[in-house]
mmCIF file with all atom_site columns, all heavy atoms in Angstrom:
data_model
loop_
_atom_site.group_PDB
_atom_site.id
_atom_site.type_symbol
_atom_site.label_atom_id
_atom_site.label_alt_id
_atom_site.label_comp_id
_atom_site.label_asym_id
_atom_site.label_entity_id
_atom_site.label_seq_id
_atom_site.pdbx_PDB_ins_code
_atom_site.Cartn_x
_atom_site.Cartn_y
_atom_site.Cartn_z
_atom_site.occupancy
_atom_site.B_iso_or_equiv
_atom_site.pdbx_formal_charge
_atom_site.auth_seq_id
_atom_site.auth_comp_id
_atom_site.auth_asym_id
_atom_site.auth_atom_id
_atom_site.pdbx_PDB_model_num
ATOM 1  N N   . THR A 1 40 ? 113.340 110.656 13.868 1.00 57.00 ? 40 THR A N   1
ATOM 2  C CA  . THR A 1 40 ? 113.114 112.036 14.436 1.00 57.00 ? 40 THR A CA  1
ATOM 3  C C   . THR A 1 40 ? 111.873 112.004 15.266 1.00 57.00 ? 40 THR A C   1
ATOM 4  O O   . THR A 1 40 ? 111.805 112.617 16.436 1.00 57.00 ? 40 THR A O   1
ATOM 5  C CB  . THR A 1 40 ? 112.888 113.027 13.314 1.00 57.00 ? 40 THR A CB  1
ATOM 6  O OG1 . THR A 1 40 ? 114.159 113.036 12.621 1.00 57.00 ? 40 THR A OG1 1
ATOM 7  C CG2 . THR A 1 40 ? 112.691 114.408 13.902 1.00 57.00 ? 40 THR A CG2 1
ATOM 8  N N   . LEU A 1 41 ? 110.736 111.354 14.798 1.00 57.00 ? 41 LEU A N   1
ATOM 9  C CA  . LEU A 1 41 ? 109.584 111.369 15.609 1.00 57.00 ? 41 LEU A CA  1
ATOM 10 C C   . LEU A 1 41 ? 109.774 110.592 16.889 1.00 57.00 ? 41 LEU A C   1
ATOM 11 O O   . LEU A 1 41 ? 109.291 110.954 17.978 1.00 57.00 ? 41 LEU A O   1
ATOM 12 C CB  . LEU A 1 41 ? 108.456 110.658 14.768 1.00 57.00 ? 41 LEU A CB  1
ATOM 13 C CG  . LEU A 1 41 ? 107.900 111.390 13.531 1.00 57.00 ? 41 LEU A CG  1
ATOM 14 C CD1 . LEU A 1 41 ? 106.973 110.545 12.773 1.00 57.00 ? 41 LEU A CD1 1
ATOM 15 C CD2 . LEU A 1 41 ? 107.290 112.642 14.033 1.00 57.00 ? 41 LEU A CD2 1
ATOM 16 N N   . ALA A 1 42 ? 110.642 109.463 16.865 1.00 60.00 ? 42 ALA A N   1
ATOM 17 C CA  . ALA A 1 42 ? 110.867 108.679 18.005 1.00 60.00 ? 42 ALA A CA  1
ATOM 18 C C   . ALA A 1 42 ? 111.705 109.491 19.002 1.00 60.00 ? 42 ALA A C   1
ATOM 19 O O   . ALA A 1 42 ? 111.413 109.496 20.270 1.00 60.00 ? 42 ALA A O   1
ATOM 20 C CB  . ALA A 1 42 ? 111.657 107.458 17.677 1.00 60.00 ? 42 ALA A CB  1
ATOM 21 N N   . ARG A 1 43 ? 112.695 110.323 18.462 1.00 61.00 ? 43 ARG A N   1
ATOM 22 C CA  . ARG A 1 43 ? 113.451 111.094 19.322 1.00 61.00 ? 43 ARG A CA  1
ATOM 23 C C   . ARG A 1 43 ? 112.606 112.299 19.956 1.00 61.00 ? 43 ARG A C   1
ATOM 24 O O   . ARG A 1 43 ? 112.768 112.665 21.101 1.00 61.00 ? 43 ARG A O   1
ATOM 25 C CB  . ARG A 1 43 ? 114.606 111.738 18.578 1.00 61.00 ? 43 ARG A CB  1
ATOM 26 C CG  . ARG A 1 43 ? 115.641 110.747 18.190 1.00 61.00 ? 43 ARG A CG  1
ATOM 27 C CD  . ARG A 1 43 ? 116.530 110.292 19.352 1.00 61.00 ? 43 ARG A CD  1
ATOM 28 N NE  . ARG A 1 43 ? 117.094 111.399 20.073 1.00 61.00 ? 43 ARG A NE  1
ATOM 29 C CZ  . ARG A 1 43 ? 118.292 111.902 19.690 1.00 61.00 ? 43 ARG A CZ  1
ATOM 30 N NH1 . ARG A 1 43 ? 118.971 111.503 18.615 1.00 61.00 ? 43 ARG A NH1 1
ATOM 31 N NH2 . ARG A 1 43 ? 118.815 112.880 20.393 1.00 61.00 ? 43 ARG A NH2 1
ATOM 32 N N   . LEU A 1 44 ? 111.709 112.793 19.117 1.00 52.00 ? 44 LEU A N   1
ATOM 33 C CA  . LEU A 1 44 ? 110.846 113.806 19.600 1.00 52.00 ? 44 LEU A CA  1
ATOM 34 C C   . LEU A 1 44 ? 109.896 113.292 20.791 1.00 52.00 ? 44 LEU A C   1
ATOM 35 O O   . LEU A 1 44 ? 109.693 113.941 21.786 1.00 52.00 ? 44 LEU A O   1
ATOM 36 C CB  . LEU A 1 44 ? 109.942 114.372 18.485 1.00 52.00 ? 44 LEU A CB  1
ATOM 37 C CG  . LEU A 1 44 ? 110.603 115.228 17.517 1.00 52.00 ? 44 LEU A CG  1
ATOM 38 C CD1 . LEU A 1 44 ? 109.668 115.636 16.329 1.00 52.00 ? 44 LEU A CD1 1
ATOM 39 C CD2 . LEU A 1 44 ? 111.095 116.587 18.225 1.00 52.00 ? 44 LEU A CD2 1
ATOM 40 N N   . ALA A 1 45 ? 109.426 112.066 20.546 1.00 55.00 ? 45 ALA A N   1
ATOM 41 C CA  . ALA A 1 45 ? 108.579 111.452 21.590 1.00 55.00 ? 45 ALA A CA  1
ATOM 42 C C   . ALA A 1 45 ? 109.420 111.270 22.807 1.00 55.00 ? 45 ALA A C   1
ATOM 43 O O   . ALA A 1 45 ? 108.941 111.388 23.962 1.00 55.00 ? 45 ALA A O   1
ATOM 44 C CB  . ALA A 1 45 ? 107.952 110.127 21.043 1.00 55.00 ? 45 ALA A CB  1
ATOM 45 N N   . GLU A 1 46 ? 110.581 110.740 22.631 1.00 59.00 ? 46 GLU A N   1
ATOM 46 C CA  . GLU A 1 46 ? 111.543 110.510 23.763 1.00 59.00 ? 46 GLU A CA  1
ATOM 47 C C   . GLU A 1 46 ? 111.773 111.815 24.549 1.00 59.00 ? 46 GLU A C   1
ATOM 48 O O   . GLU A 1 46 ? 111.763 111.916 25.695 1.00 59.00 ? 46 GLU A O   1
ATOM 49 C CB  . GLU A 1 46 ? 112.795 109.845 23.245 1.00 59.00 ? 46 GLU A CB  1
ATOM 50 C CG  . GLU A 1 46 ? 113.796 109.545 24.426 1.00 59.00 ? 46 GLU A CG  1
ATOM 51 C CD  . GLU A 1 46 ? 115.043 108.942 23.874 1.00 59.00 ? 46 GLU A CD  1
ATOM 52 O OE1 . GLU A 1 46 ? 115.076 108.378 22.706 1.00 59.00 ? 46 GLU A OE1 1
ATOM 53 O OE2 . GLU A 1 46 ? 116.099 108.982 24.553 1.00 59.00 ? 46 GLU A OE2 1
ATOM 54 N N   . LYS A 1 47 ? 112.035 112.825 23.757 1.00 57.00 ? 47 LYS A N   1
ATOM 55 C CA  . LYS A 1 47 ? 112.284 114.152 24.291 1.00 57.00 ? 47 LYS A CA  1
ATOM 56 C C   . LYS A 1 47 ? 111.038 114.694 25.080 1.00 57.00 ? 47 LYS A C   1
ATOM 57 O O   . LYS A 1 47 ? 111.206 115.239 26.158 1.00 57.00 ? 47 LYS A O   1
ATOM 58 C CB  . LYS A 1 47 ? 112.677 115.190 23.218 1.00 57.00 ? 47 LYS A CB  1
ATOM 59 C CG  . LYS A 1 47 ? 113.146 116.488 23.749 1.00 57.00 ? 47 LYS A CG  1
ATOM 60 C CD  . LYS A 1 47 ? 114.446 116.402 24.426 1.00 57.00 ? 47 LYS A CD  1
ATOM 61 C CE  . LYS A 1 47 ? 114.955 117.809 24.757 1.00 57.00 ? 47 LYS A CE  1
ATOM 62 N NZ  . LYS A 1 47 ? 116.146 117.752 25.585 1.00 57.00 ? 47 LYS A NZ  1
ATOM 63 N N   . GLU A 1 48 ? 109.931 114.468 24.476 1.00 58.00 ? 48 GLU A N   1
ATOM 64 C CA  . GLU A 1 48 ? 108.688 114.915 25.095 1.00 58.00 ? 48 GLU A CA  1
ATOM 65 C C   . GLU A 1 48 ? 108.459 114.098 26.410 1.00 58.00 ? 48 GLU A C   1
ATOM 66 O O   . GLU A 1 48 ? 108.107 114.764 27.437 1.00 58.00 ? 48 GLU A O   1
ATOM 67 C CB  . GLU A 1 48 ? 107.454 114.629 24.213 1.00 58.00 ? 48 GLU A CB  1
ATOM 68 C CG  . GLU A 1 48 ? 106.135 115.145 24.760 1.00 58.00 ? 48 GLU A CG  1
ATOM 69 C CD  . GLU A 1 48 ? 105.046 114.823 23.814 1.00 58.00 ? 48 GLU A CD  1
ATOM 70 O OE1 . GLU A 1 48 ? 105.261 114.503 22.686 1.00 58.00 ? 48 GLU A OE1 1
ATOM 71 O OE2 . GLU A 1 48 ? 103.814 115.082 24.209 1.00 58.00 ? 48 GLU A OE2 1
ATOM 72 N N   . ALA A 1 49 ? 108.790 112.847 26.421 1.00 56.00 ? 49 ALA A N   1
ATOM 73 C CA  . ALA A 1 49 ? 108.664 111.992 27.645 1.00 56.00 ? 49 ALA A CA  1
ATOM 74 C C   . ALA A 1 49 ? 109.712 112.528 28.727 1.00 56.00 ? 49 ALA A C   1
ATOM 75 O O   . ALA A 1 49 ? 109.298 112.621 29.937 1.00 56.00 ? 49 ALA A O   1
ATOM 76 C CB  . ALA A 1 49 ? 108.925 110.596 27.400 1.00 56.00 ? 49 ALA A CB  1
ATOM 77 N N   . GLU A 1 50 ? 110.914 112.798 28.288 1.00 58.00 ? 50 GLU A N   1
ATOM 78 C CA  . GLU A 1 50 ? 111.848 113.386 29.172 1.00 58.00 ? 50 GLU A CA  1
ATOM 79 C C   . GLU A 1 50 ? 111.411 114.658 29.834 1.00 58.00 ? 50 GLU A C   1
ATOM 80 O O   . GLU A 1 50 ? 111.594 114.865 31.009 1.00 58.00 ? 50 GLU A O   1
ATOM 81 C CB  . GLU A 1 50 ? 113.195 113.436 28.439 1.00 58.00 ? 50 GLU A CB  1
ATOM 82 C CG  . GLU A 1 50 ? 113.920 112.151 28.081 1.00 58.00 ? 50 GLU A CG  1
ATOM 83 C CD  . GLU A 1 50 ? 115.155 112.463 27.264 1.00 58.00 ? 50 GLU A CD  1
ATOM 84 O OE1 . GLU A 1 50 ? 115.371 113.520 26.979 1.00 58.00 ? 50 GLU A OE1 1
ATOM 85 O OE2 . GLU A 1 50 ? 115.873 111.403 27.099 1.00 58.00 ? 50 GLU A OE2 1
ATOM 86 N N   . GLU A 1 51 ? 110.924 115.532 28.987 1.00 58.00 ? 51 GLU A N   1
ATOM 87 C CA  . GLU A 1 51 ? 110.399 116.838 29.505 1.00 58.00 ? 51 GLU A CA  1
ATOM 88 C C   . GLU A 1 51 ? 109.243 116.573 30.442 1.00 58.00 ? 51 GLU A C   1
ATOM 89 O O   . GLU A 1 51 ? 109.157 117.302 31.523 1.00 58.00 ? 51 GLU A O   1
ATOM 90 C CB  . GLU A 1 51 ? 110.038 117.695 28.388 1.00 58.00 ? 51 GLU A CB  1
ATOM 91 C CG  . GLU A 1 51 ? 111.269 118.220 27.506 1.00 58.00 ? 51 GLU A CG  1
ATOM 92 C CD  . GLU A 1 51 ? 110.771 118.982 26.364 1.00 58.00 ? 51 GLU A CD  1
ATOM 93 O OE1 . GLU A 1 51 ? 109.470 119.095 26.092 1.00 58.00 ? 51 GLU A OE1 1
ATOM 94 O OE2 . GLU A 1 51 ? 111.640 119.588 25.707 1.00 58.00 ? 51 GLU A OE2 1
#
Side-chain angles (χ1 to χ4, degrees):
T40 300
L41 291 175
R43 292 289 302 278
L44 287 172
E46 183 181 337
K47 188 66 175 176
E48 184 178 351
E50 290 174 353
E51 290 177 352

